[in-house]
Amino acid sequence: MKIAILGKPFDDEAAPAIQALFDDLAARRAEVRIGEAYRVFLSNRIRLPEGTTEFRRGDSLRGVQFVLSIGGDGTLLDTVTYVGSLQIPILGIHTGRLGFLATITPDRIAQAIDALYKGHFNIEERSLIRVDTDPDVFGSLNFGLNEFSVLKRDTSSMIVVHTYIDGEYLNSYWADGLVVATPTGSTGYSLSCGGPVMLPQTNNFIIAPVCPHNLNVRPLVVSDQSVISFEIEGRSTSYMLALDSRSLPVEASVQIAVRRETFNARLVKLNHVNFLSTLRSKLNWGLDRRNPAGIQL
């Protein structure tokens, strides 16, 4: 089996579990490729299997059967940009903080690898958001799993985001910014802006203003078959565009349109993990002493 691995630095507590992962892959004679920066971090901490190779952004992962993302949710968001349209299944191993997307804890790594080899897993198709700008801002990495945001940058003054759906005027948002989230991103930035939680298979976007000045403006759910476009104005001449964890300053004259990407991210889920159980365990969803004792929270 060919497996690619991307990750972020971890503390000493997680080192034994990561070593056990590589030992397991070596025993199974897996062909392992490791992201260049992550391999540098691992080189003085982990004994890597013989024949391990490295790759960098832009190298093709064609032929790889699974990509392991070791870190937190931010690591998994970055991993999606390495996989892109190849749609290689991604398994998120959690060594970070929240772990909403990366759901495999270090003590379950051995079980997860065994499940990959035995086929005891499910694949969740997660829609992506695509951003087209003129002039070009994000280049070939113009897609994201969670959300796209327009934000103020150099001043405390609010901005105005004129928003259109399929060319028809929707609203002018007087706010600190505006978030367009996918169902996966509904538990991220959008949630902190008062947006709803959506199940992953929901074919919608959420438009959520950031700190709106109009109290009667609320998040809106729209079809992800729509094209959402924006015009920005304010006292500043530049603003910030953010796509998942990537952000860049732009001039006010930039033209922006977002839509659903033509390919998906594919996340590996083990049989004991699903979105509803993650809501309960990570967000304390439904945590209430009145709930029956038999319901695991």
Side-chain angles (χ1 to χ4, degrees):
M1 183 178 288
K2 296 182 179 181
I3 294 178
I5 299 177
L6 287 160
K8 293 291 176 64
F10 49 80
D11 55 31
D12 293 340
E13 184 179 346
I18 304 303
Q19 183 63 69
L21 163 65
F22 282 101
D23 292 344
D24 190 2
L25 294 177
R28 297 176 186 269
R29 298 185 177 181
E31 184 177 327
V32 179
R33 301 182 66 186
I34 305 176
E36 181 181 44
Y38 194 48
R39 184 169 183 172
V40 171
F41 170 77
L42 295 174
S43 60
N44 297 323
R45 297 169 176 81
I46 300 294
R47 298 184 309 275
L48 299 177
E50 292 184 7
T52 298
T53 59
E54 65 182 40
F55 65 95
R56 62 183 64 181
R57 186 180 297 281
D59 292 348
S60 175
L61 294 179
R62 192 173 300 278
V64 169
Q65 291 158 282
F66 295 98
V67 178
L68 307 187
S69 172
I70 303 176
D73 289 349
T75 310
L76 195 144
L77 295 177
D78 191 42
T79 300
V80 169
T81 66
Y82 279 82
V83 172
S85 60
L86 292 177
Q87 299 186 108
I88 302 168
I90 300 170
L91 176 68
I93 296 173
H94 168 54
T95 60
R97 293 188 292 270
L98 181 61
F100 200 93
L101 296 172
T103 56
I104 304 302
T105 53
D107 61 304
R108 289 185 176 268
I109 290 178
Q111 177 186 350
I113 298 302
D114 192 55
L116 292 186
Y117 273 84
K118 292 181 178 179
H120 296 168
F121 59 86
N122 298 313
I123 296 291
E124 282 190 358
E125 300 280 349
R126 299 294 185 97
S127 61
L128 302 171
I129 190 168
R130 170 176 170 170
V131 182
D132 294 305
T133 60
D134 185 15
D136 185 29
V137 174
F138 294 105
S140 62
L141 300 181
N142 64 335
F143 58 91
L145 178 59
N146 263 9
E147 73 273 311
F148 166 74
S149 307
V150 180
L151 302 165
K152 68 180 186 180
R153 183 183 176 218
D154 295 329
T155 175
S156 61
S157 300
M158 70 184 74
I159 61 177
V160 185
V161 185
H162 305 291
T163 305
Y164 303 81
I165 298 178
D166 295 327
E168 295 189 9
Y169 176 67
L170 168 65
N171 188 32
S172 293
Y173 292 92
W174 295 70
D176 285 355
L178 195 69
V179 176
V180 181
T182 66
T184 300
S186 71
T187 54
Y189 195 178
S190 172
L191 183 65
S192 70
C193 296
V197 173
M198 292 196 297
L199 297 181
Q201 295 77 25
T202 307
N203 297 319
N204 292 306
F205 288 138
I206 300 168
I207 302 175
V210 180
C211 300
H213 188 259
N214 307 91
L215 297 181
N216 59 344
V217 172
R218 293 292 181 264
L220 178 69
V221 177
V222 301
S223 168
D224 65 8
Q225 298 304 303
S226 302
V227 176
I228 307 170
S229 55
F230 309 98
E231 296 174 355
I232 315 168
E233 66 172 282
R235 294 180 181 175
S236 176
T237 59
S238 64
Y239 309 97
M240 188 72 69
L241 301 187
L243 185 55
D244 284 350
S245 57
R246 309 182 300 282
S247 59
L248 291 167
V250 297
E251 297 301 315
S253 58
V254 67
Q255 298 181 15
I256 310 165
V258 302
R259 69 194 75 205
R260 179 170 176 166
E261 184 54 276
T262 56
F263 53 86
N264 294 334
R266 308 183 74 207
L267 305 186
V268 175
K269 296 296 180 182
L270 302 190
N271 293 332
H272 69 280
V273 177
N274 59 55
F275 182 76
L276 300 182
S277 66
T278 303
L279 277 179
R280 295 193 300 272
S281 63
K282 301 297 183 180
L283 297 184
N284 292 327
W285 199 262
L287 184 61
D288 193 315
R289 64 185 300 175
R290 296 170 297 178
N291 281 330
I295 298 179
Q296 183 178 355
L297 298 176

